[in-house]
Amino acid sequence: MTELLIRTLARKRLSALARPSAVLAFAAAMAYGGGLWMSLLHRAEGGEERNEPGFVLHWLRDATLALPLICVAVWVGIVLARKLIARAGATDGPVVLCAGTLAMVVALAATVAVGASSPAHGGLFGAEHGGHELPFMAHLGRDMLIALTANLLLAGAVSAAIFRRKPWAVPDVQSWLAQRTGQRRFALNGSLALVLLVPVAIVVSSGAEMVSAQAGAGTPCPTGVPLKTYSVQAIDVDIPLNRFGDHDPQGKMFVLSQDVARVRAQAASRHVQIGLRDDPIQPLVIRANIGDCVEIAFTNNASGGDYGMHIDGLAFDAQNSGDAVGRNPSSSVARGQSRTYRFYVPEDDTFEGTHYMRPGPGNRDAVSHGLFGGLAVEPRGSTYHSPKDLSPIDSGWEAVIRPAGKKSFREYVQLYHEIGNEDFDVSDAGGGKLPRVDPTTDSYRPGARAINYRSEPFMRRLERPGAEDEKAHGYGSYTFGDPATLIPRAYQGDPTKIRIMHAGAEVFHIFHLHGGGIRWRLNPKADPLYDYQKTGLDKSPQEGAPSTRLDSQAMGPGESYDLE
């Protein structure tokens, strides 16, 4: 192939030829040197690319891919420079003038090639350059001016290095056809492979990667990431709030398809466990790890409108998993219809925690009656187990999490919310309504402030005869028995993460953990001195922790925090 290419070029007019060594010298400098400059610029601007490799590999790949086009541009630039030098009568004139002319023309030609290749690069790799909101042509022009600055310096350096060999001159074609040594043949074959074969291989590989991604998990998930799949339904359910019979007949919930029958059975009995434990009627809490793709096969079996499933804070495809915001289409489905949603948890430790799961915009009333949930994102390689017997679990507010290479920890996902809007009255066991004001404590809307679908008003605990004298023990299980609201359980010294989230839509809530010295970092991921695996009393704490310590946390609708 090398011999055929040489003989084909040798038959061309001399005025249209350039020295291959000069072409390769200029092209390599501007492809790799200029490519490094542009890669650094786009990285500083916050540019993104689908399935983006590491910086060095990214730079080398893009530079090698641009090399053939830049070689053609340099070839044309050398020919044009020769004509300009000849027209100016400077062929035998000052060598410095000829070298300068060559550098400027070649740099300009290479810059045009870089600009022409930009749309192809964006289409092939899904590249987006951040940092500005310019129209496409203005963006292209700006990038070309920036590239020209670097290319002028690089072309000037190359021209200065080889000007004594007069690289603008007509090449000696006969030397191309002369017998070449093994070393020269190897160098020539290697150069042609770099310019012609390697870029083709990159394009083919990128095309195969795109096909693979479409055949695998697909947008927005990269190829080859772990896939978590869940089958979820939205259903109507009469939600029991406590053991006294208070309930929400307008309740709705997300539930795993395999648990629908258990939910129906509990709704019929209205029996709830002490401390919530593993009641089937509880907010849906599913789990995934950092770097996972989450696929949810959703069916809307609830009344009252079109519902979907959206998880806040994760990567998603606006065309298939988003809200009807701006020109984005709605991904909700009518009653009886199904849809598959896909979300990606980025490779970023700060994504650990609970992410709000909701039915889409305009469904505030459905949310206030229980149509919400959470996706708990765990450390890489984690497995999820029942706190009762360590068997694997699919969902639930409490779990034992076993990360890869770290200590296990107990996890409690607590979702704070309201029952109905401010005009809604909670139903009691006899078919009536709870009063707007608690007659015992004067609190507003008793039973309407809930945690994980459970609410136990003080009027219920204090309404039995003789309880008036025991108000001071209103929180006490010894006096009134354990409540139906969730009771996290642990042994002394257990590493623990409480993930709190506001899943309602009305008022702010405050989490406070009694115990005097029990505190947590506001942002544990921002504190390199902190490690959840280190438990117990620390009599010599390190000073200078960048994250403050709290013993209470206020939260508004949609907010979530990790208490480690």
Side-chain angles (χ1 to χ4, degrees):
M1 177 180 175
T2 303
E3 295 294 334
L4 177 62
L5 184 60
I6 289 174
R7 294 187 181 279
T8 300
L9 290 174
R11 289 194 291 267
K12 300 294 183 182
R13 287 184 298 122
L14 290 178
S15 60
L17 298 180
R19 294 179 183 177
S21 58
V23 171
L24 190 60
F26 280 108
M30 286 182 285
Y32 292 97
L36 178 60
W37 165 244
M38 297 303 293
S39 295
L40 289 170
L41 171 68
H42 291 151
R43 187 181 192 185
E45 288 183 321
E48 296 179 351
E49 183 178 299
R50 181 181 59 243
N51 302 338
E52 186 171 1
F55 176 77
V56 174
L57 184 61
H58 190 177
W59 158 55
L60 292 175
R61 183 204 65 187
D62 287 357
T64 304
L65 197 58
L67 187 59
L69 189 59
I70 292 179
C71 279
V72 173
V74 169
W75 190 295
V76 172
I78 291 176
V79 172
L80 288 176
R82 181 193 307 146
K83 291 182 177 180
L84 287 174
I85 293 170
R87 180 170 296 183
T91 303
D92 298 321
V95 176
V96 174
L97 176 62
C98 296
T101 302
L102 176 65
M104 286 189 289
V105 175
V106 167
L108 184 59
T111 300
V112 172
V114 169
S117 65
S118 183
H121 176 265
L124 185 61
F125 299 110
E128 296 181 1
H129 300 160
H132 45 78
E133 297 294 336
L134 294 176
F136 174 76
M137 292 307 297
H139 182 180
L140 194 62
R142 189 212 66 152
D143 279 6
M144 289 176 65
L145 285 174
I146 294 172
L148 180 60
T149 303
N151 286 341
L152 282 170
L153 294 174
L154 292 166
V158 173
S159 186
I162 63 174
F163 77 94
R164 296 184 184 280
R165 298 171 58 187
K166 296 186 177 182
W168 57 87
V170 174
D172 181 6
V173 176
Q174 294 304 315
S175 66
W176 295 2
L177 302 174
Q179 186 70 29
R180 285 171 294 279
T181 64
Q183 195 173 33
R184 290 186 63 190
R185 185 183 299 275
F186 177 79
L188 181 59
N189 290 337
S191 299
L192 288 174
L194 179 63
V195 174
L196 300 178
L197 300 183
V198 175
V200 172
I202 291 175
V203 172
V204 171
S205 174
S206 300
E209 184 177 343
M210 292 174 64
V211 171
S212 175
Q214 292 169 358
T219 305
C221 303
T223 305
V225 300
L227 179 66
K228 295 284 195 310
T229 59
Y230 295 95
S231 176
V232 177
Q233 297 182 26
I235 63 173
D236 297 327
V237 57
D238 190 343
I239 297 178
L241 303 179
N242 49 49
R243 292 173 296 153
F244 301 102
D246 302 329
H247 62 105
D248 178 11
Q250 299 181 27
K252 303 179 188 299
M253 65 181 290
F254 291 126
V255 59
L256 294 180
S257 296
Q258 66 262 30
D259 292 334
V260 172
R262 296 176 58 231
V263 167
R264 298 298 185 201
Q266 185 180 14
S269 69
R270 288 196 188 166
H271 172 75
V272 297
Q273 297 185 62
I274 289 174
L276 184 58
R277 206 55 178 177
D278 55 359
D279 278 352
I281 297 182
Q282 60 173 283
L284 178 64
V285 176
I286 55 178
R287 292 175 172 84
N289 299 336
I290 291 172
D292 281 357
C293 183
V294 180
E295 186 174 274
I296 299 175
F298 172 74
T299 301
N300 178 18
N301 286 323
S303 62
D306 295 351
Y307 302 123
M309 286 196 75
H310 184 79
I311 304 176
D312 286 355
L314 302 181
F316 63 94
D317 179 8
Q319 300 300 310
N320 297 313
S321 304
D323 293 337
V325 178
R327 296 185 178 181
N328 293 338
S330 171
S331 63
S332 299
V333 294
R335 189 171 189 178
Q337 300 299 310
S338 300
R339 189 163 191 163
T340 298
Y341 304 101
R342 193 175 292 120
F343 303 89
Y344 174 58
V345 184
E347 281 282 355
D348 186 336
D349 289 343
T350 61
F351 280 83
E352 182 182 341
T354 306
H355 295 259
Y356 189 30
M357 183 187 299
R358 53 183 176 80
N363 291 308
R364 182 171 177 175
D365 194 53
V367 168
S368 74
H369 287 285
L371 196 58
F372 56 75
L375 173 72
V377 173
E378 313 295 353
R380 296 170 185 80
S382 295
T383 55
Y384 330 127
H385 306 270
S386 166
K388 292 195 301 183
D389 57 11
L390 294 182
S391 60
I393 59 173
D394 296 315
S395 65
W397 70 277
E398 68 175 337
V400 172
I401 307 299
R402 288 178 168 172
K406 289 190 174 183
K407 285 184 179 180
S408 300
F409 59 88
R410 293 187 183 272
E411 177 184 72
Y412 310 111
V413 180
Q414 302 185 8
L415 308 185
Y416 290 70
H417 60 104
E418 303 83 35
I419 307 297
N421 59 32
E422 294 298 278
D423 292 327
F424 179 78
D425 295 320
V426 174
S427 299
D428 62 20
K433 303 291 185 180
L434 267 63
R436 285 293 180 94
V437 178
D438 188 324
T440 307
T441 66
D442 294 331
S443 64
Y444 179 60
R445 294 189 69 218
R449 314 302 187 203
I451 309 175
N452 291 48
Y453 297 165
R454 298 294 180 269
S455 180
E456 190 149 323
F458 275 109
M459 58 179 284
R460 292 303 191 200
R461 298 174 65 80
L462 299 172
E463 64 188 2
R464 69 179 182 83
E468 281 292 320
D469 299 327
E470 300 174 1
K471 286 183 180 180
H473 303 285
Y475 289 101
S477 294
Y478 179 82
T479 308
F480 299 107
D482 287 339
T485 49
L486 67 172
I487 302 176
R489 296 167 171 86
Y491 292 103
Q492 189 174 21
D494 282 350
T496 303
K497 298 187 181 185
I498 303 174
R499 307 196 192 277
I500 59 173
M501 183 174 76
H502 192 316
E506 292 284 348
V507 298
F508 270 62
H509 297 286
I510 295 178
F511 176 94
H512 172 63
L513 190 61
H514 291 262
I518 300 177
R519 299 191 177 192
W520 55 86
R521 264 69 167 178
L522 172 62
N523 187 349
K525 294 294 182 292
D527 191 343
L529 303 180
Y530 173 74
D531 183 1
Y532 79 87
Q533 301 175 99
K534 183 180 179 182
T535 61
L537 183 63
D538 188 356
K539 294 186 177 182
S540 301
Q542 289 181 276
E543 299 295 329
S547 180
T548 187
R549 292 171 172 81
L550 306 174
D551 66 359
S552 60
Q553 178 64 60
M555 52 186 160
E559 290 186 332
S560 64
Y561 297 89
D562 284 352
L563 322 179
E564 300 191 8

